Amino acid sequence: MPISLRFGTDRSVVFYALLATQLASVMRAKLTPPASDSDEFYRAASIRLMNQAIEESRHLLIVLDGLDEAQGAGYNSTVFPPNLPPTIKILVSAREQAGDRGPEGWLKRLDWQANMAASGGLSILAHKAVIPILESVGIDKNDVCDKLVERLIFLSAGEPLLLGLYATDLSDIARREGKISVRSLEGLSPGFTAYFSRAFDTQSLSENGDALEMTMAVLAMALGPLEGPHLTTLTCNLCNISRPIVSDRFIKPLKRFIAGDGRPGHGYVLNHPKLDEYMLEERFGLDTQQLVENAFLAWGRGVAKTLETPPNMPAPAYVLLHHVDHLCRAGAGSLYDIDLLLTEGWKQAWFNFDNDYTGYADSLLSASAIIQTCTTYHDDAIRTLRLRIKIGLFSGSVRSQGINVPSDLLAMALQDQLITLRQALILSNSSYPTTNLTIY
C-alpha cells in the first residue's frame, strides 16, 4: 500500500480505503462505500477485517510503503493489533525523521517493541542492477558495454532515482541516434546536484525560463499538491506576467520531474524528495524562498478574507489544509491572521470540506502556537487574551461533544441515521478514550 504525498495517497481517507479494500479482497468481504465519513468508515473496516483475519488464522503480508508521508497524525498504529500471530507480517518502509538515530524512532512511533520487529536499512544498487534498468526503458542489453555500466555507477553512486534518470536520457539518445555509447556520459560530474543543475540550467535558458524556474520554486515550497490553476496564478503573480493561454505551459517542459495532472485531487507535486532537497538547499536562495512563502501567505490570507462574506463560499483545499502550516513555518502570523481563522466563513468552509469541525479545531490549535504572550503585544494584550480564549472554548467544545453519552445510545443513534459514522466514532473517543465503540 503506497503512502505518497506526491501521488495523493497521504491523506487518511485514501490510505485507509486502500488498506480496507485490499483486506476485503483477501477476506472475500463486501465493502459498500459510504456516502460520507469515508476515512472513519475505512479505518473501522480495516480494524474489523484485521481481527477477522486473526480469528481465521489467515496468512497475510501487509506492505506500507512511505509511512513517513502519512499526512500529520492521520495514520493510527492501533489499526494493527499489538500482538499479531505468526501468520500475519507487516513490512513498513519510512525515511528517518529529524532526531532519529536509526530505526528506533519509527519503532517507537509504531509502538512496536524491538523484540517483536526486525529492522534494517536499504543499500544502494550494484552493477548487476544497471542492465535491467536500461532494459526497462527500451535499451537492448546487447548495446550495453561494461564501461557504460561502470560510468553509470560512478555518476549515480548506485542511487535508484539517479540511475533511472540517466537511463531515460540514454533511451532518448538511442531513439535519436540509433545507438548509445559511454561517450554520451563523458565529462559529466557525479551526484544529484550535478545532474539537476544541468537539467534545470538548460530549461532556464529556454523561452519562459524565469517562469519555469519560479514554477519549480513554488512546487519546492508547497506543502502539498497544487491544482493547475492555482500553480499558474502563483507563478504569474511572482513573475509579474500575464496568464498563458495554454494551461500547462509552465508544466510541460518540466513534466519528467513532476507528478499529477493538476486536477482537483491530483494536483502537481515534485515527484521525488531529492528534488525538494536540491531546490531548497542548492538552487534557490533564502530570498527566493521567502518571496514564494510570502506568495503562499498572501493567497491564504486572501481566501480567508473573501470567506468573511458570504460565509458559504467554497475554499481551495490546499489553503484549508496548509495555510496555518505556512503561517507557522514562516513565523509570520499576526492577530489579524487569527481573527480571519475565527470567522464564520472559514469555519463553514472547513465543515463543507470535511463534514466535521475536528480538522478545523486541530488547525486552530496549531495556529495558537504562533500567538506570543499577551505582554508581547502591549496595547493588544486584551485582544490577544480574547483570541486565546476563543480558540480554547471552540476546541474544547468540539472535543467535548457528546461527552458521557452512553455507547449504547450512540449505537442506536447511528443505527437510526441520526448521526454519521464519523460523528459516532469522534463522540465515542471523546466519551470513552480508553474503550472502543462496537458498531454492528
Side-chain angles (χ1 to χ4, degrees), residues 141-413:
K141 65 179 180 181
N142 295 320
D143 294 335
V144 181
C145 64
D146 291 342
K147 286 186 177 180
L148 181 62
V149 172
E150 289 287 347
R151 187 63 182 169
L152 286 170
I153 288 294
F154 169 75
L155 292 172
S156 67
E159 287 283 354
L161 171 64
L162 207 44
L163 268 174
L165 291 171
Y166 275 115
T168 301
D169 293 343
L170 289 172
S171 177
D172 291 340
I173 292 172
R175 280 195 294 271
R176 288 196 312 268
E177 303 178 7
K179 62 178 181 178
I180 58 173
S181 71
V182 71
R183 289 195 299 274
S184 303
L185 304 177
E186 288 178 352
L188 303 182
S189 299
F192 282 103
T193 297
Y195 183 90
F196 290 144
S197 294
R198 289 194 303 272
F200 295 118
D201 286 347
T202 300
Q203 294 290 352
S204 66
L205 294 175
S206 65
E207 185 182 5
N208 301 312
D210 289 343
L212 297 179
E213 287 278 306
M214 192 57 71
T215 297
M216 297 303 290
V218 170
L219 289 172
M221 292 292 290
L223 297 172
L226 279 166
E227 293 178 23
H230 301 148
L231 176 59
T232 300
T233 297
L234 286 166
T235 298
C236 290
N237 289 343
L238 284 162
C239 294
N240 195 26
I241 58 177
S242 302
R243 292 182 67 88
I245 298 175
V246 181
S247 60
D248 64 348
R249 187 172 183 178
F250 305 145
I251 291 294
K252 198 170 183 180
L254 306 167
K255 198 61 179 175
R256 66 182 300 206
F257 302 108
I258 297 174
D261 59 15
R263 294 181 295 119
H266 302 273
Y268 293 124
V269 64
L270 296 178
N271 61 17
H272 199 279
K274 284 290 185 182
L275 279 164
D276 290 276
E277 292 177 17
Y278 165 72
M279 295 294 174
L280 300 179
E281 296 177 10
E282 304 285 345
R283 193 162 191 86
F284 300 118
L286 294 178
D287 289 345
T288 300
Q289 293 181 35
Q290 187 61 59
L291 187 67
V292 175
E293 187 73 274
N294 289 341
F296 275 111
L297 293 173
W299 180 28
R301 286 165 177 156
V303 170
K305 202 169 181 181
T306 60
L307 291 174
E308 290 184 282
T309 53
N312 289 321
M313 287 181 61
Y318 182 93
V319 172
L320 288 175
L321 292 170
H322 302 298
H323 177 53
V324 170
D325 296 329
H326 279 289
L327 288 172
C328 293
R329 183 172 73 176
S334 65
L335 297 184
Y336 176 65
D337 287 313
I338 304 300
D339 274 326
L340 289 175
L341 299 178
L342 289 166
T343 62
E344 184 63 27
W346 184 267
K347 182 174 73 172
Q348 186 62 42
W350 255 107
F351 187 84
N352 294 340
F353 174 73
D354 222 16
N355 293 322
D356 188 79
Y357 288 119
T358 304
Y360 173 60
D362 289 340
S363 72
L364 286 182
L365 289 175
S366 298
S368 67
I370 66 179
I371 304 179
Q372 301 177 36
T373 60
C374 297
T375 55
T376 306
Y377 293 98
H378 302 296
D379 295 339
D380 284 324
I382 295 177
R383 180 187 176 195
T384 306
L385 181 60
R386 186 172 68 249
L387 292 175
R388 285 186 178 278
I389 292 173
K390 280 186 176 181
I391 291 175
L393 287 175
F394 185 84
S395 301
S397 174
V398 170
R399 295 212 172 355
S400 64
Q401 289 182 38
I403 203 156
N404 296 327
V405 176
S407 60
D408 289 344
L409 181 58
L410 286 178
M412 286 188 291

Side-chain angles (χ1 to χ4, degrees), residues 15-74:
F15 60 75
Y16 283 138
L18 289 173
L19 176 60
T21 301
Q22 291 296 322
L23 286 172
S25 176
V26 172
M27 303 301 297
R28 300 184 182 281
K30 184 178 180 181
L31 285 180
T32 302
S36 60
D37 305 323
S38 298
D39 51 348
E40 293 297 345
F41 170 82
Y42 286 117
R43 186 173 74 88
S46 298
I47 294 173
R48 174 174 55 81
L49 290 167
M50 279 293 298
N51 288 329
Q52 181 182 340
I54 292 173
E55 292 173 3
E56 297 180 6
S57 300
R58 292 294 189 99
H59 286 76
L60 295 178
L61 171 62
I62 300 172
V63 180
L64 302 177
D65 183 22
L67 188 56
D68 54 290
E69 295 201 31
Q71 194 177 89

Side-chain angles (χ1 to χ4, degrees), residues 133-146:
I133 290 175
L134 294 176
E135 286 183 309
S136 71
V137 295
I139 296 175
D140 190 333
K141 65 179 180 181
N142 295 320
D143 294 335
V144 181
C145 64
D146 291 342

